């Protein structure tokens, strides 16, 4: 799907994080997919940084360091936006395919594999209170400081998640993905207050139109 460029301000730093998985929230940085109001919130490198800080990948200090490096045309961040969009679109296509009961493409799965290889190559395995974790550089940060956690989140979801709970919002032209944590696996909407209510309103309008037509 082509990216949408618009004068509408990006909401990268304030998007609702409803995916219940980092990789799915990342896939949801493009909204209104398939409709006339499709909006890409990652249109510039700074938007990637804004979202990464918002999602908790970067703290304020590290995010500010990345912004400085981008402003200085640091070579490690030259392709940040391109790498980000490539990874995001692969994650979204994979998630949408699984939600529809289809098999993801080998090309998209390879994109995740390649991103994970880069992520691990750019990280150190360090001990913490719960065992060990991957740690990416923060002084100075690199592109993998942002992309590494996302790539491994996607791989972890595919390898260890209950994929019957990976869903795509039922709202018209929404396209957002989420991991359903409800006890009976019954969640249908990215946000009931948004897409759920829109669908209810649409059905009510259709019902009223039908009744009015029947009465004429």
């Amino acid at each position: 799907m082509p990216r949408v460029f618009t004068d509408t301000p990006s909401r990268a730093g304030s998007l609702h994080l409803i995916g219940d998985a980092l990789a799915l929230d990342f896939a949801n940085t493009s909204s209104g997919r398939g409709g006339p109001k499709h909006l890409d919130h990652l249109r510039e490198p700074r938007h990637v940084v804004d979202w990464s800080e918002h999602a908790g990948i970067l703290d304020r200090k590290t995010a500010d360091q990345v912004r400085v490096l981008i402003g200085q045309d640091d070579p490690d961040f030259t392709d940040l936006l391109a790498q980000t969009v490539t990874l995001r679109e692969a994650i979204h296509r994979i998630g949408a395919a699984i939600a529809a009961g289809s098999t993801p493409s080998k090309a998209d799965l390879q994109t995740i594999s390649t991103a994970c290889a880069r992520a691990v190559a750019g990280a150190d395995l360090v001990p913490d209170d719960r065992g060990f974790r991957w740690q990416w550089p923060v002084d100075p940060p690199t592109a993998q400081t942002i992309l590494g956690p996302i790539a491994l989140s996607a791989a972890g979801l595919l390898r260890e998640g209950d994929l019957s709970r990976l869903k795509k919002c039922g709202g018209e032209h929404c396209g957002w993905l989420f991991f359903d944590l409800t006890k009976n696996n019954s969640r249908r909407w990215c946000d009931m207050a948004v897409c759920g209510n829109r669908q209810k309103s649409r059905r009510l309008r259709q019902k009223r139109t039908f009744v009015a037509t029947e009465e004429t």
Side-chain angles (χ1 to χ4, degrees):
M1 179 176 293
R3 297 177 64 212
V4 176
F5 296 88
T6 174
D7 292 333
T8 303
S10 167
R11 302 200 314 274
S14 60
L15 286 169
H16 293 310
L17 304 175
I18 56 83
D20 286 309
L22 178 64
L24 301 184
D25 283 328
F26 175 63
N28 295 342
T29 55
S30 184
S31 57
R33 289 174 182 268
K37 295 183 179 180
H38 180 201
L39 178 61
D40 193 334
H41 297 284
L42 304 183
R43 303 191 294 271
E44 300 178 21
R46 63 187 177 90
H47 297 154
V48 179
V49 184
D50 291 345
W51 182 83
S52 299
E53 184 179 358
H54 172 55
I57 297 174
L58 305 177
D59 59 24
R60 173 59 64 85
K61 179 181 178 182
T62 307
D64 286 342
Q65 283 183 283
V66 174
R67 292 183 180 102
V68 170
L69 291 170
I70 290 172
Q72 294 174 343
D73 294 324
D74 186 283
D76 194 61
F77 291 94
T78 301
D79 295 330
L80 176 63
L81 183 59
Q83 289 185 55
T84 298
V85 173
T86 296
L87 179 59
R88 182 191 66 187
E89 294 306 295
I91 292 172
H92 189 273
R93 285 191 295 266
I94 290 170
I98 291 171
S102 302
T103 301
S105 75
K106 291 182 178 179
D108 285 334
L109 293 172
Q110 184 59 53
T111 295
I112 304 300
S113 296
T114 301
C116 285
R118 288 176 181 160
V120 172
D124 293 318
L125 192 61
V126 300
D128 65 11
D129 294 339
R130 295 176 293 178
F132 294 85
R133 62 183 175 85
W134 294 110
Q135 179 176 281
W136 287 269
V138 294
D139 193 19
T142 68
Q144 290 308 314
T145 306
I146 294 173
L147 298 177
I150 298 168
L152 294 188
S153 169
L157 188 63
L158 293 175
R159 291 184 63 250
E160 302 170 8
D162 178 357
L163 297 183
S164 69
R165 290 180 174 271
L166 202 169
K167 298 181 180 180
K168 183 178 177 181
C169 179
E172 185 178 15
H173 301 318
C174 175
W176 275 18
L177 303 172
F178 58 87
F179 195 73
D180 187 352
L181 297 179
T182 60
K183 186 174 295 186
N184 59 354
N185 198 15
S186 60
R187 182 177 168 189
R188 296 180 58 194
W189 317 105
C190 62
D191 188 332
M192 184 62 199
V194 181
C195 283
N197 283 342
R198 285 175 183 168
Q199 185 68 7
K200 285 184 177 181
S201 297
R202 186 176 298 111
R203 287 175 178 171
L204 181 59
R205 288 195 301 270
Q206 291 173 343
K207 183 177 180 180
R208 287 173 176 171
T209 300
F210 176 78
V211 171
T213 304
E214 287 291 297
E215 292 177 347
T216 58

